[in-house]
Amino acid sequence: MARRRQLYEGKAKIIYEGPEPGTVVQYFKDDATAFNNQKKGTITGKGVLNNRISEVLMTRLNQIGVQTHFIKRLNMREQLVRQAEIVPLEVIVRNLAAGSFAKRFNMEEGTPLPRSIIEFCYKNDELGDPLVTEEHITAFGWATPPELDDIVQQTVRINDYLCGLFNGIGIRLVDFKIEFGRVWDNDVMRIILADEISPDSCRLWDLNTNEKMDKDRFRRDMGGVEEGYREVARRLGVLSENTTEFTGPKLVH
């Protein structure tokens, strides 16, 4: 498919105009960032793997009735998705203490939480994506109370499903970040899952060894970044096509 006008470029993806009204093409890059864009690098082949991983997870969520923006994969790096008005929130689900959450509450990484915790961050790079409450969200009009209720309900369902799916392939879903968008069917507005679900946006640990298979390997200079992503893809059964040869992360200073 001929690539159309570029609409937006983010840290990990480029969005192009789609072939039909109401669609866009989502292109997955190999670029990697961490710590609010302070650390930058390239993980060779990451975009290919994230495209495939997000495809299978979005497809399975669609199959259980969770509406997503995903329509179909176009090639090794591109997806056709519904164009949505993105709600300016990052919705974070935490099943175990890890990362900034563990530091914030002085907890050892991997500590099980009493129950899954949902947090919200306001999507604003200049402000460093600050944590916000439901009061902030509704007061500033980022989402209405009914929209927020819908987002929370969908998030709980997504977490339940993904925890079971990953557990079945020997992976512990420690935490993850998702985003939602608004779409209109005639005069009816709906909230749907958007963006991506991949090792870029999830903490994924081996169920038996707690080996990390996600972007923490890049954040913490652990090495084996591509191998972690590739192992997630392998366990999900999405490496049937020749992806690419990996040559290791190339850090950009």
Side-chain angles (χ1 to χ4, degrees):
M1 186 188 73
R3 193 174 289 166
R4 297 190 178 185
R5 180 170 58 97
Q6 179 176 320
L7 302 177
Y8 170 80
E9 181 169 2
K11 298 171 185 175
K13 292 184 292 296
I14 303 174
I15 304 300
Y16 295 99
E17 188 176 51
E20 299 174 357
T23 67
V24 295
V25 173
Q26 186 167 255
Y27 175 92
F28 288 77
K29 303 194 293 184
D30 285 347
D31 294 358
T33 62
F35 311 118
N36 195 29
N37 217 26
Q38 293 180 26
K39 180 178 182 179
K40 300 178 182 180
T42 300
I43 303 172
T44 306
K46 176 176 78 76
V48 172
L49 293 170
N50 281 354
N51 184 23
R52 300 301 307 278
I53 291 169
S54 193
E55 171 198 8
V56 72
L57 296 178
M58 290 284 189
T59 297
R60 294 186 185 184
L61 287 169
N62 277 330
Q63 289 171 347
I64 67 163
V66 175
Q67 295 182 328
T68 81
H69 73 162
F70 179 79
I71 299 173
K72 65 179 180 179
R73 180 170 59 87
L74 297 172
N75 53 51
M76 295 303 287
R77 287 186 179 270
E78 293 183 331
Q79 297 178 356
L80 182 67
V81 301
R82 290 197 65 177
Q83 188 169 23
E85 176 192 319
I86 298 298
V87 178
L89 299 172
E90 294 181 347
V91 183
I92 303 167
V93 183
R94 301 191 183 274
N95 297 311
L96 285 79
S100 62
F101 184 94
K103 292 180 181 178
R104 199 187 321 152
F105 294 103
N106 193 28
M107 299 174 71
E108 184 179 350
E109 277 209 323
T111 302
L113 301 176
R115 61 178 177 82
S116 298
I117 294 175
I118 298 175
E119 297 182 320
F120 301 96
C121 290
Y122 175 50
K123 280 176 59 65
N124 187 303
D125 288 340
E126 292 181 1
L127 299 178
D129 300 330
L131 276 168
V132 294
T133 67
E134 295 187 11
E135 284 292 315
H136 295 117
I137 294 167
T138 55
F140 290 118
W142 300 325
T144 65
E147 287 175 336
L148 196 53
D149 288 343
D150 192 5
I151 287 171
V152 169
Q153 290 173 11
Q154 290 194 54
T155 299
V156 169
R157 189 176 183 195
I158 291 165
N159 184 47
D160 287 345
Y161 179 77
L162 291 181
C163 280
L165 184 152
F166 280 117
N167 188 74
I169 56 174
I171 295 176
R172 179 176 286 113
L173 180 58
V174 176
D175 58 36
F176 63 98
K177 172 190 73 69
I178 50 179
E179 297 180 16
F180 291 87
R182 302 179 181 93
V183 296
W184 281 262
D185 290 324
N186 298 319
D187 294 330
V188 179
M189 188 279 294
R190 290 185 291 109
I191 296 288
I192 65 171
L193 180 64
D195 196 41
E196 68 177 289
I197 305 176
S198 74
D200 268 12
S201 58
C202 303
R203 279 192 172 90
L204 303 168
W205 296 359
D206 182 89
L207 200 58
N208 297 314
T209 67
N210 284 335
E211 183 77 12
K212 294 176 174 61
M213 297 182 282
D214 54 64
K215 199 165 77 169
D216 268 352
R217 303 198 69 87
F218 169 76
R219 292 186 187 98
R220 304 179 186 188
D221 296 318
M222 298 174 67
V225 185
E226 310 88 343
E227 290 79 4
Y229 281 58
R230 191 176 178 88
E231 178 61 15
V232 174
R234 187 191 67 79
R235 295 193 193 186
L236 285 170
V238 298
L239 283 183
S240 57
E241 297 180 20
N242 181 34
T243 52
T244 185
E245 291 297 321
F246 299 117
T247 57
K250 304 170 185 175
L251 297 184
V252 178
H253 300 286

